[in-house]
Amino acid sequence: MSAVGEAERRRAPNPVRAHLEAIAAALSRALKPPMTLMYPDVVEELPEGYRGVIAYRYERCVGCGLCARICPARAIKMYKVPGDKRMRPGYDMTRCIFCGFCVDVCPVNALEHTKIHDKAYYELDSMVLDPVEWAEFSRRLIEEQSARSRSPNLVRAVFDEEVGLRYERLRRS
Amino acid sequence: MIDAVPLLERVLTPAVLAPLLYPGLATALVTVLLVIWLERKIAARVQMRVGPYYVAPRVHGALQLVADGMRFFFQEVIVPLTAGRGFLLAPALALAFTAAAFAVIPGGPGVVGFKTDYSLLVALAALSLTPPLVLLMGWASNNKFAVLGSAREALLTASYEPLLFMSALAAAVMYGTLDLVAAVEAQARLGVVGLALNPLAALLFFVAMMAATDRIPFDIVMGEQEIVHGPYTEYSGVAYGVVMGLDYVKLYALSLLYANLFLGGWLPFNDPLAGSLVLYVKALAVMAAAVFLRGVYGRLRLDHALDALWSKLFPLAVVSILVSALIAYYLGG
């Protein structure tokens, strides 16, 4: 019997105990609540400053074009709007990387992040918005955001030493 | 005109009804759906997931398997051009042999299809006819993964079947009978269940049962990450449903055997209905334990499994027979 083999033997756990420990570990895990976010059924409460889809307020915009200049993904382009002297920004959601440079650079706070990121479309074309469409879309987006924050199924992520993340309901229905 | 009533009386005998209704195929189908759902739910909980849910959320997705089954039924059965003879015959025959075992496995007090003094032997013999058919499936599939899976099945079968028969023999020696009904009656007479009398035999039977039904850690035959789905690789549609359900039906049959041999069968009830229910619940508990281990173990390597079965568990099986002989000597004499 070599010295290495002897050391291996000493380190090897008792098989019966190892089996029982493994089964006990699985059992204790099974008794803990799942850490799944039941996504479409519940609404997760998101932190302030969450970088979701960008909303645009036409009435605040001065048409300076800083957002179009700074956008690293070229998601914002300036458009001519009939009946308006200045050009206004349009939004291409297929390109946006939600970096928030446009929100930071806007001198009049016409742009803001919403907390909504889960939007789906049947056609790519409907994800490209001109200034008027973007303003209208943003109005609906902000409405949806406030509706979500009033949802009865709002959950909050809590840090749990045992399971990691856990989701707690904020309101009892 | 033929008089229908005597004919019906001839056909609808317990020997026909037991393999077909209870404890046979009809119950087995429901049990398979239940157990697979249970398996997925338990595995999910061990991994802190939710498991199948959105098919019938109110019952936590219990109808998921019904949905899956419907999909199998309406899917086209594709037989590969290169498939050999017996490609579709093998799964059907395997299911038939498994169903034949239900003819002798008692489903409750007096609920026995075919009464014989050798019911334990007949049931195990019928169940051990399925591995050769799995070999046939792999051979007929004419696919390298399937053939590899078949080779694994052959090696594994040769290792777990002795263990299964030896641990069943230990139980038989302990009760002094090869009849399952008499085994349960012996437990009633002794007032102790087999699990308490000879825990070693009970444990070994459970391990052999896990190996016989391809449960993790013995799912070497299917080995999804290695050989796709082993001998079952080429099956699709309802044929896939049958080959996948086969192991679970076998698990159900062996769990019934286990409940009869080691958990006191239908005791403490002697009423056919309550007794059958108790036996079924006991079998279900055995199956739940078997599928729970999916969340505990990984897959054993083939040589490790063979080594464990032959050189570690087989000697233990011999010991368990000696223990049984001692028990029979002291309690029987």
Side-chain angles (χ1 to χ4, degrees), chain A residues 135-150:
Chain A
E136 175 58 22
F137 169 73
S138 303
R139 201 179 51 71
R140 275 181 278 129
L141 211 58
I142 289 166
E143 268 171 29
E144 192 184 332
Q145 178 173 260
S146 65
R148 281 194 192 187
S149 67
R150 287 192 309 269

Side-chain angles (χ1 to χ4, degrees), chain A residues 152-163:
Chain A
N153 296 322
L154 205 62
V155 292
R156 176 182 287 164
V158 210
F159 299 115
D160 188 313
E161 266 186 70
E162 299 251 316
V163 295

Side-chain angles (χ1 to χ4, degrees), chain B:
Chain B
M1 204 184 97
I2 308 161
D3 196 0
V5 177
L7 189 68
L8 270 182
E9 270 175 4
R10 289 231 170 163
V11 173
L12 298 180
T13 51
V16 173
L17 289 181
L20 287 183
L21 290 179
Y22 179 81
L25 283 179
T27 319
L29 179 69
V30 177
T31 314
V32 167
L33 298 181
L34 193 65
V35 166
I36 298 180
W37 170 75
L38 208 61
E39 172 169 23
R40 294 181 59 180
K41 274 301 203 193
I42 292 175
R45 287 308 296 268
V46 171
Q47 295 161 4
M48 290 192 226
R49 296 183 286 114
V50 174
Y53 178 73
Y54 279 107
V55 177
R58 265 189 211 178
V59 283
H60 290 266
L63 296 183
Q64 174 73 48
L65 265 296
V66 178
D68 286 352
M70 263 154 66
R71 191 182 75 84
F72 291 146
F73 262 102
F74 292 110
Q75 201 179 23
E76 185 187 359
V77 179
I78 297 166
V79 180
L81 281 176
T82 52
R85 278 186 194 168
F87 180 75
L88 289 177
L89 179 71
L93 260 187
L95 192 64
F97 282 137
T98 316
F102 290 115
V104 290
I105 299 176
V111 188
V112 166
F114 183 70
K115 194 134 178 45
T116 157
D117 287 343
Y118 304 101
S119 55
L120 175 60
L121 213 51
V122 175
L124 284 178
L127 290 175
S128 68
L129 280 174
T130 54
L133 290 162
V134 173
L135 297 193
L136 179 59
M137 284 180 210
W139 184 254
S141 294
N142 202 1
N143 164 310
K144 37 184 134 163
F145 297 118
V147 173
L148 273 175
S150 289
R152 290 177 175 202
E153 170 83 14
L155 279 167
L156 206 58
T157 303
S159 314
Y160 72 70
E161 288 288 352
L163 192 61
L164 192 66
F165 274 75
M166 291 284 267
S167 46
L169 180 64
V173 168
M174 184 161 63
Y175 307 130
T177 174
L178 280 170
D179 183 10
L180 288 162
V181 178
V184 175
E185 279 161 3
Q187 289 173 73
R189 198 171 59 245
L190 295 170
V192 202
V193 293
L195 182 67
L197 278 177
N198 194 344
L200 188 59
L203 178 72
L204 292 173
F205 192 89
F206 187 77
V207 172
M209 188 175 102
M210 299 282 286
T213 55
D214 284 340
R215 300 285 84 226
I216 288 172
F218 296 103
D219 65 331
I220 301 160
V221 174
M222 296 206 215
E224 261 178 354
Q225 295 84 350
E226 303 154 20
I227 47 169
V228 192
H229 211 59
Y232 315 131
T233 303
E234 292 290 354
Y235 287 91
S236 55
V238 73
Y240 174 75
V242 169
V243 294
M244 194 195 67
L246 192 62
D247 277 331
Y248 287 93
V249 176
K250 225 172 138 182
L251 177 66
Y252 169 58
L254 285 169
S255 298
L256 274 177
L257 275 183
Y258 188 94
N260 275 320
L261 285 178
F262 297 108
L263 298 180
W266 50 84
L267 302 175
F269 296 99
N270 274 316
D271 168 56
L273 189 66
S276 303
L277 212 61
V278 165
L279 179 61
Y280 184 74
V281 169
K282 280 176 181 174
L284 211 57
V286 174
M287 282 182 271
V291 296
F292 163 71
L293 293 180
R294 184 197 186 95
V296 179
Y297 295 110
R299 183 181 311 131
L300 279 172
R301 221 167 70 189
L302 181 59
D303 57 333
H304 287 175
L306 298 189
D307 179 54
L309 287 168
W310 272 118
S311 68
K312 307 215 165 63
L313 297 179
F314 190 75
L316 279 180
V318 178
V319 173
S320 79
I321 291 180
L322 293 178
V323 170
S324 283
L326 284 177
I327 291 169
Y329 179 75
Y330 281 110
L331 290 181

Side-chain angles (χ1 to χ4, degrees), chain A residues 8-173:
Chain A
E8 281 285 311
R9 194 169 301 268
R10 239 180 286 122
R11 245 185 295 128
N14 174 356
V16 176
R17 221 182 105 197
H19 278 288
L20 290 180
E21 274 175 5
I23 291 168
L27 266 180
S28 76
R29 290 271 297 269
L31 294 177
K32 281 173 193 158
M35 53 191 283
T36 309
L37 173 69
M38 302 297 283
Y39 163 59
D41 290 351
V42 298
V43 180
E44 189 187 0
E45 192 203 46
L46 295 166
E48 285 304 316
Y50 184 83
R51 293 184 181 180
V53 178
I54 288 154
Y56 168 60
R57 291 176 200 267
Y58 199 106
E59 68 280 4
R60 288 194 192 168
C61 179
V62 292
C64 63
L66 277 173
C67 46
R69 278 168 198 256
I70 205 164
C71 181
R74 297 274 192 272
I76 296 182
K77 251 189 345 184
M78 300 305 279
Y79 289 82
K80 280 202 183 92
V81 179
D84 201 334
K85 284 187 293 199
R86 307 196 71 97
M87 290 174 95
R88 304 286 176 178
Y91 185 36
D92 184 348
M93 252 188 288
T94 61
R95 296 189 142 209
C96 184
I97 57 169
F98 308 101
C99 65
F101 282 10
C102 51
V103 177
D104 290 345
V105 84
C106 183
V108 288
N109 286 338
L111 297 174
E112 63 175 295
H113 277 295
T114 58
K115 289 182 183 175
I116 293 171
H117 68 277
D118 43 348
K119 284 273 156 202
Y121 297 87
Y122 285 107
E123 290 156 352
L124 282 177
D125 285 351
S126 51
M127 297 177 74
V128 183
L129 307 170
D130 69 25
V132 178
E133 282 167 352
W134 192 12
E136 175 58 22
F137 169 73
S138 303
R139 201 179 51 71
R140 275 181 278 129
L141 211 58
I142 289 166
E143 268 171 29
E144 192 184 332
Q145 178 173 260
S146 65
R148 281 194 192 187
S149 67
R150 287 192 309 269
S151 159
N153 296 322
L154 205 62
V155 292
R156 176 182 287 164
V158 210
F159 299 115
D160 188 313
E161 266 186 70
E162 299 251 316
V163 295
L165 267 188
R166 199 156 43 77
Y167 294 95
E168 244 173 31
R169 256 172 204 276
L170 288 184
R171 304 191 180 91
R172 290 270 150 223
S173 49

